[in-house]
Amino acid sequence: MRKLVTLLFTLMLIPGCSNYMELNELGLIIAMGIDVSQEIENGYRVTFQVINPSQLSPTGTPTGIPVSNYTVEGETLVDVYRRASTIIPRNNDVSHLSLVIISEELARKGTNLVFDAFERGKQAKSTFHVFIARGTSAEKVLGVVEPLESNPTKSVISTSENNQKIYGISKITPLHEVIATLSSEGKDLLLPGIKLNKKLTSKNQTDNLNNIKPSVIEVSGLAIFKKDKLVRWYDGEIARNAHLILSEIETTSFPIPCDKKTMTLISKRSKGSIKTLLKPIPTLQVNIAINTEISEMNCTKDLTDKKVLTEIETELEKEIRRQVQRTIEISQSTGTDVFGFGSTLSKENPGYWKKHKKEWKTIFSKAKVEVNVKGSINDSGLVTDPYEPK
């Protein structure tokens, strides 16, 4: 009897799931697209992408698009979120939010404290990814269903991750990193851009799914911010080089001249570091060490000759030095220290930083740039010489 009483008493102490809800009662918001309001001055137009659980059931056969988009306008993000209850037929839930897209129009006006609601709120986590919709609205980006990936949220993240691993233009940037950069001294923000590779030919998503050349989401450069405003874009190899400087490249490719033709080296490992030198004149120093292998040759060279390999390494270093120099100069021209030279200086020479931080943008823009590259070739592939057509 005593054991039974003890058991009952223990069960009474165990908390129940008072907030438990069935999956079909929840509106799981997995992405948000934030645009400038079309109707409310200084307001927001927000697209909520809500997952449809019935399309993801392991026992059922999907018969439609796995997500639905709902667009609402309001003065603040919290206001919009609550207004969304007028059209979303389930309880809004952002605990599974994995993506926020901000339109270029809004980013150029200034993000201000748009992220405050996410950081302050109790539901959403600060690990979701942030992107800029380039040349289009966030609403349109979230409205494209691709043949290979019918979930737009997953398509944005997967495409960016794939590019980050193979080439290096994009980089997944979580909210907490965005807020940390915006709140810091001596470093400006870089955010990955995405866009539609072409306009949709029809409002009917089925037409895009059946198109052999569909409209798809494309990684498109890096947005350069000055404080909270987008001021310019890095594109192509220049965007890639930004991540090379920041030591955020997994692997990438470098076409270089070869007897009036071209050969391609791919990086296997790379490490970038920065330093701000003050004497004799302020100098922004970039040091890059990169290990590569030869992946393609459109010319004839004796790769068994160490002298030839040294010449190729010298050409590689020259090309990287040129590209990185250009990347830094673009940052200087806009007065945006996206690499954190000022932040590094504040740690290495806090006295100088405290005295000159208010004029750092001017010092940074006029500073000399010094780029040091050490390149090496560790592998020439499975063959030493390319085949020769007869």
Side-chain angles (χ1 to χ4, degrees), residues 314-353:
T314 301
E315 192 65 43
L316 172 67
E317 292 170 352
K318 178 182 176 181
E319 179 62 19
I320 293 177
R321 192 179 299 112
R322 180 191 67 80
Q323 292 184 19
V324 169
Q325 181 93 18
R326 176 59 181 152
T327 304
I328 298 293
E329 288 172 353
I330 290 174
S331 181
Q332 287 180 298
S333 69
T334 56
T336 52
D337 184 1
V338 294
F339 304 105
F341 285 98
S343 178
T344 302
L345 179 62
S346 69
K347 297 179 179 67
E348 296 176 349
N349 195 331
Y352 179 91
W353 176 255

Side-chain angles (χ1 to χ4, degrees), residues 4-19:
L4 179 60
V5 172
T6 302
L7 177 61
L8 291 172
F9 181 73
T10 303
L11 290 173
M12 290 173 64
L13 294 177
I14 298 176
C17 298
S18 59
N19 61 343

